[in-house]
Amino acid sequence: MTLRIFSLFLIFIISFGNNCQANPNKNLSEKEIVLIASKALDQHNILVKNDLDSMKRLAIEVMTLGLERGNDYAINVGKFTLGSYLVRSGEFEKGIKYLIAADKYFEKVENYIVETQVLNEIGNGYQLWGRLLDAEKYYLKSLKAGKKTDDPGWHIMAEVNLGKAYINMGKYDKASALLQHFKNQALKMKKYEAVANAYAYLGLNENFKNNLALSTEYYQKSADYGFRSKDKSMIANAYTNLAIVHFENENMEKSLECFKKALDLRLETNDPRQISEAYFNLGGYFIELGKHDLALDYYRECMEWSQKNNLLKEQMEVTFAIAEVYKLENNFKKALDITEQYASLQERYYKKMAFDRSEDAGKLSFLDNLETVKKAESQEESLRQIIDNNRYKNIVIYFVLSVFIIAMLVLLFYRKKIN
């Protein structure tokens, strides 16, 4: 009992520092908590592509709310979102642990739509980890869960990711068959963004098979359907892929045109990471042509965007690339200066990674401790109810026995009296 009180005291201290804002949630109804968790679920696919920091904050808020109020739906939406964040941050084992816990819950309550998404995300986690056979296993489970839903869109959800896994496994024919099926089904449903995605992977698949003509055709179709979906980010990706294929075919003019179109579209989306990447790609293009001045211009644009938006990884990559340009020009003094900047950025980057990991570990520990305490409270409450029920039963039994004994005594008394 003393240990449990001490644990509760620790949770109070941590939550006072980290979750003071959660106090108003005590007034929320169950319906309101479910609505908050459902909105977080809707945000999952948007944040997982564009904003992992916001995804982490949202996951912790929803999971903490669920734990504080004993709402299993919110707890497991939080675990799903937190697991997605962790696997994309390189914490594969921890992330998959949360995702598997969420899957067990959604399978138990027969919420097959969310289960399909969670299983697909477990597959993504294993694929990012490089464990492709495990990824295949969970993508197939996701397809099986999807078939239990009424929406044909969920039936095929994991096919495109499974196709990507087959490409990485070198199973190109299997990948092609699966991606073609996904593409045809998505076409029937007029889901043009999904069609564009399928064509992009079909292009990549043919590229690995050295079938550059068909690869180019698929990338062009990916861009065409991307336009129909009006997803500028996807169209920009398709143009980048086309640029690479044209470059490999030594069609330099067409390659440059596609790289520039990708940059223009990414400037419209205003995504700093993608804009930095577009400038970096153009710098690389001009390096290959031996036009170092133009390469440096684009690399400096990349550096400016990266610095403005505090993208340390991108700053590291472009700094290293600039140093390599100066080496190619035999300007070793300048190359050395830039290399020192690279070393400094590298130190900052790994310090930040260590700090983020430490901070994440603290928050995960807080959530795990809170869950442990809440489970202990729940078990104690169940035990108390059992004891109370048993006490009630005993009282009833004693009452009945007492009535029976009194009745017998009264009966004996009257018998004596009659006799």
Side-chain angles (χ1 to χ4, degrees):
M1 190 68 176
T2 308
L3 181 60
R4 185 179 161 275
I5 292 167
F6 180 66
S7 297
L8 283 167
F9 178 72
L10 281 177
I11 292 294
F12 172 76
I13 295 296
I14 296 167
S15 63
F16 185 80
N18 292 307
N19 287 294
C20 290
Q21 72 276 14
N23 290 336
N25 292 334
K26 290 177 181 176
N27 299 321
L28 293 171
S29 67
E30 285 294 303
K31 189 176 178 181
E32 287 171 324
I33 292 167
V34 169
L35 185 61
I36 289 168
S38 297
K39 284 181 178 177
L41 195 59
D42 291 339
Q43 290 244 297
H44 179 278
N45 290 337
I46 299 166
L47 295 177
V48 80
K49 294 176 186 175
N50 305 315
D51 193 348
L52 289 180
D53 287 338
S54 295
M55 188 177 196
K56 175 175 69 173
R57 285 194 296 271
L58 183 65
I60 290 168
E61 284 171 14
V62 172
M63 191 172 165
T64 304
L65 171 61
L67 287 167
E68 286 176 344
R69 297 298 307 276
N71 187 291
D72 287 338
Y73 178 75
I75 290 168
N76 286 283
V77 167
K79 285 182 177 180
F80 173 33
T81 311
L82 190 57
S84 294
Y85 161 76
L86 288 168
V87 296
R88 281 165 177 75
S89 304
E91 296 279 354
F92 303 114
E93 193 170 357
K94 287 180 184 175
I96 287 169
K97 178 185 167 188
Y98 278 110
L99 290 168
I100 287 173
D103 170 55
K104 285 178 182 174
Y105 167 77
F106 289 112
E107 183 183 19
K108 182 182 172 184
V109 299
E110 298 183 353
N111 188 334
Y112 298 120
I113 288 177
V114 183
E115 188 196 358
T116 301
Q117 295 175 74
V118 176
L119 287 165
N120 182 62
E121 192 65 0
I122 296 171
N124 290 339
Y126 277 121
Q127 182 152 206
L128 289 166
W129 199 354
R131 291 171 56 171
L132 298 176
L133 290 175
D134 287 316
E136 179 187 20
K137 172 185 165 184
Y138 279 95
Y139 288 140
L140 290 170
K141 282 187 173 186
S142 178
L143 291 170
K144 189 177 178 182
K147 285 182 172 61
K148 295 177 185 176
T149 69
D150 297 328
D151 186 342
W154 297 110
H155 297 182
I156 60 167
M157 181 189 180
E159 282 189 351
V160 72
N161 288 322
L162 182 55
K164 184 181 173 185
Y166 285 143
I167 292 170
N168 290 329
M169 293 162 81
K171 297 179 179 179
Y172 302 125
D173 291 341
K174 217 168 182 179
S176 181
L178 197 65
L179 291 165
Q180 288 286 4
H181 179 263
F182 177 84
K183 179 258 297 177
N184 291 335
Q185 296 304 307
L187 267 172
K188 285 180 188 175
M189 293 180 275
K190 297 183 180 179
K191 294 189 174 184
Y192 299 126
E193 186 178 326
V195 175
N197 206 17
Y199 271 124
Y201 284 121
L202 282 165
L204 181 66
N205 194 47
E206 294 304 323
N207 201 15
F208 277 117
K209 290 163 70 178
N210 291 318
N211 192 346
L212 297 180
L214 188 54
S215 178
T216 305
E217 183 185 328
Y218 283 144
Y219 282 135
Q220 186 61 63
K221 284 184 177 179
S222 176
D224 293 342
Y225 278 98
F227 276 117
R228 292 176 74 173
S229 75
K230 297 180 182 177
D231 185 327
K232 289 177 182 176
S233 177
M234 181 162 285
I235 302 164
N237 290 342
Y239 272 127
T240 301
N241 291 332
L242 266 176
I244 293 165
V245 172
H246 286 311
F247 192 92
E248 289 174 352
N249 285 326
E250 298 184 359
N251 189 344
M252 299 305 175
E253 191 175 323
K254 200 75 178 170
S255 177
L256 179 59
E257 183 186 326
C258 288
F259 273 132
K260 285 188 172 179
K261 281 182 178 178
L263 172 61
D264 291 340
L265 284 163
R266 286 178 173 179
L267 285 166
E268 286 180 37
T269 63
N270 203 31
D271 183 323
R273 188 166 273 108
Q274 289 202 346
I275 292 166
S276 296
E277 183 188 289
Y279 278 121
F280 188 84
N281 289 339
L282 280 159
Y285 169 87
F286 284 111
I287 280 291
E288 294 296 325
L289 295 183
K291 297 182 178 180
H292 297 167
D293 288 345
L294 283 170
L296 284 170
D297 286 344
Y298 281 109
Y299 281 150
R300 284 174 187 135
E301 288 281 0
C302 174
M303 177 64 82
E304 188 179 326
W305 273 93
S306 301
Q307 288 175 334
K308 194 189 298 182
N309 294 281
N310 199 29
L311 303 173
L312 279 175
K313 189 169 181 285
E314 284 73 9
Q315 286 180 60
M316 275 172 55
E317 289 171 352
V318 75
T319 301
F320 184 82
I322 290 169
E324 290 300 303
V325 176
Y326 285 121
K327 284 179 189 176
L328 289 170
E329 294 185 334
N330 296 322
N331 189 342
F332 295 110
K333 185 179 182 306
K334 192 75 176 172
L336 182 61
D337 291 342
I338 301 296
T339 303
E340 286 173 0
Q341 290 177 33
Y342 172 76
S344 175
L345 281 166
Q346 197 175 38
E347 187 181 356
R348 279 176 60 199
Y349 175 72
Y350 286 114
K351 274 185 181 176
K352 185 180 184 302
M353 273 188 68
F355 176 79
D356 288 346
R357 289 271 172 94
S358 175
E359 189 180 56
D360 287 352
K363 287 174 180 174
L364 293 180
S365 178
F366 161 70
L367 289 171
D368 289 344
N369 287 337
L370 183 58
E371 187 169 19
T372 301
V373 169
K374 292 297 177 182
K375 279 180 181 175
E377 284 180 344
S378 176
Q379 288 168 359
E380 186 178 306
E381 181 60 31
S382 297
L383 186 60
R384 189 181 290 115
Q385 285 179 1
I386 291 167
I387 291 167
D388 288 345
N389 288 339
N390 287 338
R391 187 180 292 132
Y392 173 75
K393 285 176 185 174
N394 289 337
I395 290 168
V396 170
I397 290 165
Y398 291 142
F399 176 75
V400 171
L401 282 171
S402 299
V403 170
F404 177 74
I405 290 165
I406 291 167
M408 290 299 292
L409 289 170
V410 169
L411 186 62
L412 285 169
F413 174 77
Y414 274 108
R415 273 186 179 176
K416 281 183 181 180
K417 199 170 181 183
I418 291 167
N419 290 333

